[in-house]
Amino acid sequence: MESLPWPQGRKLVHLDLKGAPPRVEFLHQLIECFSLLGADGLLVEYEDMFPYEGDLKLLQSTAQPVYSPDEVLSLQAFAAAKGMEVIPLVQTFGHMEFVLKHKSLAELREMPHCVGTLNPHKEESLRLVMEMLRQVVALHPGLNTLHIGADEVYMLGEGEMSKQWLASQGLSVEQLFLSHVTKVAKAIKETWPHLNIVMWDDMMRGMSQEMLTASGLVGLVQPMLWDYTPDLDVEKTVSMLEKYHAAGMSELWAASSFKGSTSVVTNVPRTQRHVENHLQWLKVATSISSGINLKGIAITGWQRYDHLSVLCELIPVALPSLAACLQTLIHGQLSAEAEGQVTKLLGVPSVEVEAMGSVSSAGPSFPGRKLAESILELNTLLDTEDIRFFENSMFVRGWLSHHHREKKMVNPLMGVQIHNQASMYLTTLQEKAEAVREEMVRLYPEATAQEWLEEHVRPVTAPLKRILDDVAVCVKDMVS
């Protein structure tokens, strides 16, 4: 089959602000970069970085300053100047960890130990969701489209109120899910009749066409079918889109990924993996029936898997991946022309970030490039086996074992050699880590730099520091 460009609709870049929220100036630089790379919209997930007010002020992050109302408006104005639509994403059922983690709202959890899923039976639950939406909509004048999340609603049906509802109604967990989402969607349409409502599709994938048609969601929502894998099943995905269409949901979205979907601890993305995901989506887009209105594709860039998980790859190291994915959609493949556009726009020799090289004094550069380079240098050191597994080296295991340390019986000559090697590794790591920190705090809050370094650097430096301390004690004891 001939490769064809993405056929229709918007190409949205997902801004996940629940981790590593960019400083406003850097955020504007990123938006301009997204536009140059071919994006024409933003899917913005604020979470606790939104300036909630009144009773909802407790939802604001305490780790770093949230975006001010003026900054939220400036984000939209800057995007609009580039011809980019802004679609806010507000979770309304699952993945409400940033809301339900608070003790004062714990009674609204479906299960006490599941802080992500809202209890759909309490009137206060709907009031909470609608107040969150009201504040977000109010700060997005001219808004046309709203994303209500509703993915991965874990443990739904496990709560006592749900069990009673299921038993008394004689209905399924799937119908319980549809009941809440329909209630939210209807409330939104009653309040803001003009708004288009988008939602994630995963909770509906196992439902029959008849169940979806009878749910009341038809005409209310536009499902966004997501799949981030390089081996996306084209036939199965087309079949899923056709099912939604047959149920009456003819306006649909796709969602791919440029970062944040390889593993929860990935530090540097591999561009080819994400390009392959987009190549599969292109096959889907050119295989669906003409009656399906594919409104666009959201290219997700998850910053955390959920509110309480670790940071995924930061945006600067993922910009070559994003650029390659967008150009793949525009050209229908990652052709030489498409790859040339990436290298030209970003000023890099390759679409793979690891082959980026150092900053060139001439030509273009992308926002955050210096940070990306510093991260790559540090990451190379962190992945060096001699450093990462120094505790398991022959010399440490042979002359500085736990037994040696406990008895303080260490060969002083070997102890000094171990100390010198560990000290050299530690100094090198600390210098590279400080370079990363200095650059990171220019673009991100201090809290992000601290978290990133603790997550990636501390696991490697802590054992080295322990070895230095133990060697010093043992050698001193042997020679004194």
Side-chain angles (χ1 to χ4, degrees):
M1 182 186 294
E2 183 184 355
S3 298
L4 296 172
W6 186 256
Q8 57 189 354
R10 287 195 173 272
K11 294 180 287 295
L12 309 174
V13 174
H14 175 226
L15 267 178
D16 182 13
L17 302 175
K18 63 175 170 279
R23 295 187 188 274
V24 173
E25 183 182 3
F26 181 44
L27 191 56
H28 288 185
Q29 292 172 359
L30 288 171
I31 293 171
E32 183 169 8
C33 183
F34 297 161
S35 176
L36 287 171
L37 296 176
D40 54 15
L42 297 172
L43 179 63
V44 184
E45 190 162 0
Y46 295 98
E47 274 220 358
D48 61 351
M49 289 302 294
F50 187 81
Y52 287 107
E53 299 176 338
D55 291 342
L56 296 187
K57 192 166 185 178
L58 84 164
L59 303 186
Q60 293 187 13
S61 172
T62 56
Q64 58 250 324
V66 303
Y67 296 118
S68 69
D70 284 345
E71 289 170 340
V72 172
L73 291 170
S74 77
L75 180 158
Q76 296 165 68
F78 198 87
K82 303 295 177 185
M84 301 175 77
E85 179 183 9
V86 173
I87 300 175
L89 191 162
V90 182
Q91 289 287 1
T92 57
F93 205 173
H95 279 306
M96 291 190 67
E97 293 90 354
F98 86 101
V99 177
L100 300 177
K101 71 178 182 181
H102 296 285
K103 295 286 179 64
S104 60
L105 296 172
E107 63 179 17
L108 298 182
R109 300 172 188 169
E110 169 74 348
M111 293 288 285
H113 63 286
C114 181
V115 298
T117 298
L118 187 70
N119 182 326
H121 308 283
K122 295 192 175 184
E123 291 182 10
E124 182 57 32
S125 293
L126 183 60
R127 282 199 295 270
L128 169 68
V129 164
M130 287 305 294
E131 178 57 20
M132 290 167 61
L133 293 173
R134 185 194 68 76
Q135 293 195 26
V136 171
V137 172
L139 209 51
H140 288 76
L143 186 66
N144 293 315
T145 304
L146 176 69
H147 197 308
I148 61 170
D151 59 318
E152 298 180 333
V153 187
Y154 300 128
M155 305 206 74
L156 182 62
E158 298 294 316
E160 284 305 314
M161 293 183 74
S162 286
K163 288 179 179 177
Q164 292 173 18
W165 187 90
L166 293 169
S168 64
Q169 300 286 326
L171 298 175
S172 65
V173 173
E174 288 83 0
Q175 288 165 313
L176 172 57
F177 170 82
L178 292 169
S179 171
H180 176 74
V181 174
T182 303
K183 194 186 304 180
V184 171
K186 285 181 176 177
I188 292 171
K189 283 292 188 181
E190 288 170 7
T191 311
W192 306 285
H194 68 286
L195 282 185
N196 297 307
I197 305 171
V198 180
M199 63 176 284
W200 298 118
D201 85 300
D202 54 285
M203 295 295 293
M204 301 188 293
R205 290 177 190 173
M207 299 180 189
S208 67
Q209 174 188 322
E210 293 73 23
M211 180 181 288
L212 290 170
T213 302
S215 68
L217 274 182
V218 175
L220 287 178
V221 300
Q222 301 170 0
M224 181 177 276
L225 202 159
W226 58 271
D227 192 315
Y228 311 142
T229 58
D231 56 353
L232 179 157
D233 189 323
V234 173
E235 187 177 340
K236 184 178 178 181
T237 305
V238 169
S239 176
M240 194 72 64
L241 289 165
E242 299 284 3
K243 180 183 76 171
Y244 294 144
H245 173 57
M249 300 172 177
S250 59
E251 295 183 314
L252 299 162
W253 293 77
S256 56
S257 170
F258 75 95
K259 80 175 190 72
S261 59
T262 303
S263 81
V264 73
V265 294
T266 301
N267 190 15
V268 177
R270 189 170 65 85
T271 295
Q272 187 58 37
R273 172 190 171 87
H274 297 288
V275 166
E276 287 168 5
N277 173 238
H278 287 79
L279 290 172
Q280 295 301 93
W281 270 115
L282 282 168
K283 292 177 185 177
V284 171
T286 53
S287 302
I288 56 177
S289 65
S290 58
I292 293 178
N293 179 8
L294 202 56
K295 303 282 288 183
I297 184 168
I299 307 171
T300 64
W302 298 99
Q303 199 52 72
R304 300 187 194 276
Y305 274 32
D306 67 40
H307 179 75
L308 298 171
S309 68
V310 297
L311 291 171
C312 299
E313 311 99 302
L314 297 182
I315 292 178
V317 294
L319 280 177
S321 172
L322 174 62
C325 293
L326 278 164
Q327 289 300 312
T328 296
L329 293 177
I330 291 167
H331 290 85
Q333 59 182 320
L334 189 59
S335 59
E337 183 184 359
E339 195 159 347
Q341 279 293 101
V342 174
T343 57
K344 177 184 174 184
L345 289 167
L346 297 184
V348 293
S350 167
V351 297
E352 288 292 350
V353 67
E354 288 181 328
M356 189 168 62
S358 59
V359 172
S360 171
S361 56
S365 188
F366 59 82
R369 176 165 181 165
K370 190 173 179 183
L371 174 60
E373 291 170 350
S374 298
I375 287 175
L376 289 171
E377 286 181 19
L378 177 57
N379 198 61
T380 299
L381 272 177
L382 292 171
D383 285 343
T384 303
E385 288 196 9
D386 286 350
I387 296 178
R388 181 171 285 275
F389 303 111
F390 188 66
E391 271 192 312
N392 293 324
S393 71
M394 179 185 75
F395 297 103
V396 174
R397 293 184 67 182
W399 283 271
L400 193 66
S401 69
H402 292 297
H403 174 75
H404 289 124
R405 298 183 204 192
E406 187 175 318
K407 299 298 183 182
K408 295 186 174 57
M409 291 283 291
V410 171
N411 182 326
L413 182 61
M414 295 302 294
V416 168
Q417 289 183 349
I418 291 169
H419 186 282
N420 290 344
Q421 190 69 56
S423 181
M424 183 188 73
Y425 287 154
L426 184 60
T427 299
T428 304
L429 283 172
Q430 288 173 333
E431 288 173 353
K432 296 292 184 185
E434 182 57 25
V436 167
R437 193 199 70 78
E438 287 180 3
E439 193 59 29
M440 199 176 290
V441 295
R442 291 181 58 251
L443 309 179
Y444 293 100
E446 179 71 41
T448 294
Q450 182 179 343
E451 180 183 354
W452 192 94
L453 291 168
E454 286 181 356
E455 178 185 329
H456 295 288
V457 181
R458 190 174 181 181
V460 180
T461 58
L464 294 174
K465 288 179 179 178
R466 283 197 301 270
I467 286 170
L468 289 176
D469 291 342
D470 290 347
V471 167
V473 170
C474 294
V475 170
K476 180 182 178 182
D477 197 63
M478 287 293 292
V479 300
S480 60

